Each structure stands twice: as C-alpha cells, then as structure tokens.
Amino acid sequence: DLPVENLFDNSQTPIANAGTTLSILDTGVIATVTSTGSNKYSAIKIPNIEKLLGKTVTISANIKASGTNNAYLRFYWVNDNNLTTLLVQAINSTGSYSFNIPSEIPSGSNGLAILFSSNASGTSSIGDYVEYTNVILQIGNKANAYTPYGTDPIELCKIGNYQDYFYKSGSKGYLHKEIGKVVLNGTEKWGQEQ
C-alpha cells in the first residue's frame, strides 16, 4: 500500500488531563498514571478538523498496558480545553476502528480531541501506563501501515505503456515520474495562435 496522510500529531500539547501525563514517542504516546483511581486520561486536540468533517475516518494503534490498566482511545468534541461530548469510544486493544465524523461541529464545541486513557476503569497505581504506538488517524475505512504525521500520499500514474515507479539503488529508494499533470486554465495558445 502507498503511504497515507496521518492526521494524528503526537507533538500537540495535551488540552485536558485527569491524573495522567503524556510522553511523546516516535510513533505515538505513553499515558502514565499520576494519581490512583479510574477514568485517568490525557487528550490531544486534532489539528485541521475541517479535513475530517463529513468523512469516514480510521484510527489504528498498537496498545500495551502495564499491570491491569484498562486502555481506551476515545474521541470527544471539545470547547477549547474542555471535553464536551463523547463522539465515539474507538479501540481498547491493538487494532483499528472506522467511524463517521458529522459534517458539522456541534454547538458548544470548536474541535475534536483524541482521549488516551492511562486507566479507564478499575484501580491503578501511580506509574502504571498505557503505551500507544503506531498511532495513525486517516481518512477512509481501511487501516494502513503507520506513517509519520503529515505524510502525504504519493500518486503513481499510468497512461498506456508509460507509468511512474519506485526503484532502489544501493540503500536509497527513488521515485521515477513518467507522467506529469498540467492544469489548463483557458490562457493557453492553441494551433496557429502560438
């Protein structure tokens, strides 16, 4: 599969915390319990929510909990730094989940956040954690392999016997483009006008 654009930016500062600190990993985050009890979480706001409105999206992650912690990824509508309404409880173990995002942000909210639980229910000890790795949020209903935040898809084109392709030389990979695109805007000179 070709790379897809990952819309989850793990470098965003958490907007809401309840007994949890969030540490950034290369491919995700670790939610660590800082006070005992249940319903411990940290939430990260999704940038550029406009890209997702009215679309089917898929969240995928590898999830590993310490001790008996219960992990959950949830999506909440938010108003600035306050969680307002649960949109969906997505996944609680390694895997993926597809769902529809409404075409409009609900009244009283101004964005959408992913809530990472460090312990969703039961008891926990300070220092317990849930590790979320290979986190990818993408448009569409197919789970793809992890790509870093903002990775744009590469389009390969083919016309007749001419086609774009990837190749490897030594330890480096290259993209060979045979096909280009031109946007015609009506100012082109045709035929004898040249």
Side-chain angles (χ1 to χ4, degrees):
D1 289 336
L2 293 176
V4 296
E5 184 177 10
N6 186 354
L7 301 170
F8 170 63
D9 182 2
N10 66 335
S11 70
Q12 295 288 312
T13 301
I15 61 162
N17 293 291
T20 299
T21 59
L22 219 53
S23 303
I24 296 172
L25 301 171
D26 288 341
T27 67
V29 296
I30 293 179
T32 304
V33 175
T34 58
S35 65
T36 59
S38 63
N39 198 26
K40 304 301 179 188
Y41 63 84
S42 192
I44 294 179
K45 195 169 184 179
I46 300 168
N48 304 317
I49 183 62
E50 300 78 24
K51 285 184 171 185
L52 302 179
L53 294 176
K55 302 269 184 7
T56 298
V57 299
T58 300
I59 182 80
S60 302
N62 296 333
I63 300 174
K64 181 178 83 173
S66 70
T68 59
N69 285 18
N70 295 303
Y72 280 104
L73 276 177
R74 296 176 174 142
F75 285 78
Y76 270 87
W77 292 110
V78 296
N79 187 348
D80 297 326
N81 294 344
N82 301 306
L83 304 178
T84 57
T85 309
L86 176 66
L87 173 63
V88 69
Q89 182 164 301
I91 55 178
N92 62 356
S93 61
T94 295
S96 63
Y97 183 79
S98 297
F99 61 98
N100 296 319
I101 294 183
S103 57
E104 293 183 14
I105 296 173
S107 176
S109 298
N110 61 12
L112 188 64
I114 303 175
L115 184 141
F116 295 89
S117 71
S118 60
N119 193 38
S121 62
T123 58
S124 63
S125 299
I126 293 174
D128 285 351
Y129 65 89
V130 178
E131 185 176 284
Y132 299 88
T133 58
N134 297 322
V135 179
I136 181 168
L137 175 64
Q138 64 195 56
I139 295 173
N141 61 2
K142 181 181 177 200
N144 287 291
Y146 174 80
T147 55
Y149 168 70
T151 301
D152 290 322
I154 298 171
E155 183 179 16
L156 297 178
C157 299
K158 178 180 180 180
I159 299 175
N161 292 329
Y162 299 97
Q163 71 181 47
D164 302 335
Y165 58 90
F166 290 105
Y167 67 95
K168 184 178 175 183
S169 177
S171 63
K172 294 184 179 184
Y174 298 91
L175 169 63
H176 178 84
K177 294 292 284 179
E178 286 282 332
I179 309 297
K181 290 185 179 182
V182 176
V183 175
L184 304 176
N185 62 15
T187 62
E188 296 79 14
K189 301 207 184 275
W190 302 93
Q192 295 181 4
E193 295 180 26
Q194 294 182 1

